[in-house]
Amino acid sequence: ESREKGGMKIILNKDNYKFFVEGYLECIKDLNSENVELSSVEDMEYMMKNQSSNITVFVGIEDGEVICTATLIMERKLRYKQPCCHIEDVAVKSDKRKGGYGKQIVQCCIDTAKKYKCYKVKLNCAPHLVSFYANLGISDMQMHMYHNINYG
């Protein structure tokens, strides 16, 4: 499945994972955390072929090049019929930032969440990105906590 957004085509990962793995890695390199082992290209290809149906990786392609990505994870909760969606790993290649690509791919995630009747969409972001996401209708809830587990 693919969707046109302006001059960019947004493609779901299900069938063409080999095409975008290297471009995906280029997009997300700024998101990588220290002390976390990175997946190899082979690991990623295996995960893409065998991943759960509740995870969708979107890639934005322009002129045959991967320029942005976002992951949508649908979480089923026991108490609700509708899923909750999490947007993860939103990234735009450094030389393509400020071109509206991040907005387009996040909007694609939100549209997909609506299509699946999710009751809410959540994401975590750095403080300097709060206004970007607020302009897309995502509310700043002022609370984010996590516990980093270091194994090495």
Side-chain angles (χ1 to χ4, degrees):
E1 180 181 342
S2 68
R3 303 169 195 177
E4 295 287 335
K5 293 276 189 179
M8 178 178 67
K9 182 181 280 190
I10 298 177
I11 298 180
L12 281 74
N13 67 315
K14 300 295 183 196
D15 298 317
N16 49 355
Y17 56 88
K18 289 182 181 180
F19 167 74
F20 75 83
V21 167
E22 289 183 16
Y24 170 85
L25 289 170
E26 178 66 25
C27 286
I28 64 161
K29 68 181 182 183
D30 293 341
L31 300 178
N32 294 335
S33 300
E34 293 181 21
N35 302 319
V36 179
E37 186 177 354
L38 300 178
S39 296
S40 68
V41 171
E42 294 79 20
D43 292 338
M44 291 178 68
E45 288 177 356
Y46 177 82
M47 285 186 278
M48 297 303 293
K49 282 191 242 182
N50 298 292
Q51 76 181 10
S52 173
S53 62
N54 70 319
I55 301 171
T56 303
V57 179
F58 295 96
V59 291
I61 298 173
E62 187 174 70
D63 299 326
E65 174 187 16
V66 175
I67 56 173
C68 61
T69 185
T71 300
L72 187 67
I73 302 167
M74 288 191 226
E75 173 190 8
R76 286 276 179 200
K77 297 193 177 246
L78 293 176
R79 62 187 176 151
Y80 296 124
K81 287 185 177 185
Q82 301 103 319
C84 168
C85 283
H86 301 263
I87 299 175
E88 296 275 335
D89 297 339
V90 176
V92 178
K93 280 182 73 173
S94 58
D95 63 337
K96 299 290 185 176
R97 291 181 186 151
K98 304 288 184 195
Y101 301 112
K103 177 181 179 180
Q104 291 176 52
I105 203 146
V106 170
Q107 189 60 55
C108 183
C109 290
I110 293 169
D111 292 346
T112 301
K114 288 178 182 177
K115 176 182 166 184
Y116 287 99
K117 303 196 181 323
C118 295
Y119 72 95
K120 70 179 170 182
V121 176
K122 302 182 344 179
L123 65 81
N124 299 317
C125 70
H128 71 278
L129 293 171
V130 169
S131 63
F132 169 78
Y133 289 112
N135 286 332
L136 293 170
I138 299 171
S139 300
D140 179 4
M141 300 307 289
Q142 301 283 323
M143 184 66 65
H144 170 75
M145 299 172 70
Y146 65 95
H147 177 76
N148 260 347
I149 300 173
N150 294 312
Y151 294 99

